Amino acid sequence: MAKSATRTSMGMNDMAKQIAAGHKRVGIIVAICMVVLGILFTIWPLSVSAIGAWLATIAFIVYGVYQIMVYIRTPHDYKNGWMLANGIIYIILGILLLMEGAAARLETFAFVLGFMAMYSGIMQCASFGALRRADAPGAGWVLVSGILNIILSLFLLMTPFAAVWAMAYVIGIYLIVGGVALFAEACSGHYGMKA
């Protein structure tokens, strides 16, 4: 019995090594891509952000078309007019953004992110009251998160161009640090697992 448990344990260790070895190359490639993208974000923050905004604009149109297709394929009894409206709005927004210049597109995305952050912050602050009445642990952190989201939203809405520039640097630094960490994990073969 002890021998079979040892064999199973050895088999699992060997399997873990094979899985890690198989992903080592992929991990290294992804890490290098992350570092390169991070460097590009820090060297040319606005250019890379403009390309990202352009790709996101195309994604808006594709998502809008997808929503309309889902609406068309949904049985009549389950159709939701909001899905159709959502798809049309995404397509119109995408087309309008494509007709704008890169700077206007970046500012629009900053405004969209600003409103999303503000909505999220308001919802978190509202949730704080309910969590506090229920004596839920961590309610204070929800309030702090809500306040930070509202502050972020004000920054994005008041200075959209500077906010995009600052976000590009933050994303760049995150990608570089994350890429270096992933590279170290891939080379060691541990991937954050305990030995």
Side-chain angles (χ1 to χ4, degrees):
M1 183 88 171
K3 258 187 175 180
S4 69
T6 307
R7 263 191 227 147
T8 305
S9 172
M10 290 286 266
M12 290 176 65
N13 287 339
D14 291 338
M15 188 170 69
K17 286 178 185 175
Q18 287 175 350
I19 291 170
H23 294 297
K24 186 174 184 176
R25 263 184 252 124
V26 174
I28 290 172
I29 291 169
V30 170
I32 290 170
C33 290
M34 286 174 68
V35 171
V36 168
L37 275 173
I39 291 169
L40 290 176
F41 265 103
T42 55
I43 293 174
W44 299 300
L46 295 179
S47 298
V48 176
S49 295
I51 292 169
W54 186 82
L55 292 173
T57 300
I58 299 297
F60 276 179
I61 295 171
V62 170
Y63 183 69
V65 170
Y66 169 76
Q67 288 278 50
I68 291 171
M69 288 174 58
V70 168
Y71 174 80
I72 291 170
R73 291 184 177 188
T74 302
H76 182 68
D77 294 341
Y78 300 104
K79 285 192 179 198
N80 182 349
W82 288 109
M83 185 180 291
L84 177 62
N86 194 32
I88 292 169
I89 289 169
Y90 269 104
I91 290 172
I92 292 171
L93 179 62
I95 291 169
L96 289 174
L97 285 172
L98 281 178
M99 292 191 293
E100 293 293 329
R105 194 174 304 125
L106 283 173
E107 285 189 37
T108 302
F109 275 106
F111 278 117
V112 169
L113 289 173
F115 283 115
M116 288 171 63
M118 181 171 285
Y119 174 76
S120 178
I122 291 169
M123 293 305 293
Q124 287 171 323
C125 289
S127 296
F128 165 73
L131 291 171
R132 189 163 184 194
R133 282 190 296 276
D135 282 335
W141 288 110
V142 173
L143 178 64
V144 169
S145 179
I147 291 169
L148 289 175
N149 271 326
I150 291 171
I151 291 169
L152 173 66
S153 72
L154 295 175
F155 176 64
L156 287 167
L157 294 173
M158 287 191 225
T159 58
F161 205 68
V164 169
W165 183 75
M167 282 189 305
Y169 276 111
V170 170
I171 291 169
I173 291 167
Y174 171 78
L175 286 171
I176 292 170
V177 171
V180 169
L182 180 60
F183 185 81
E185 285 181 20
C187 288
S188 71
H190 289 293
Y191 290 100
M193 297 181 297
K194 292 181 180 176

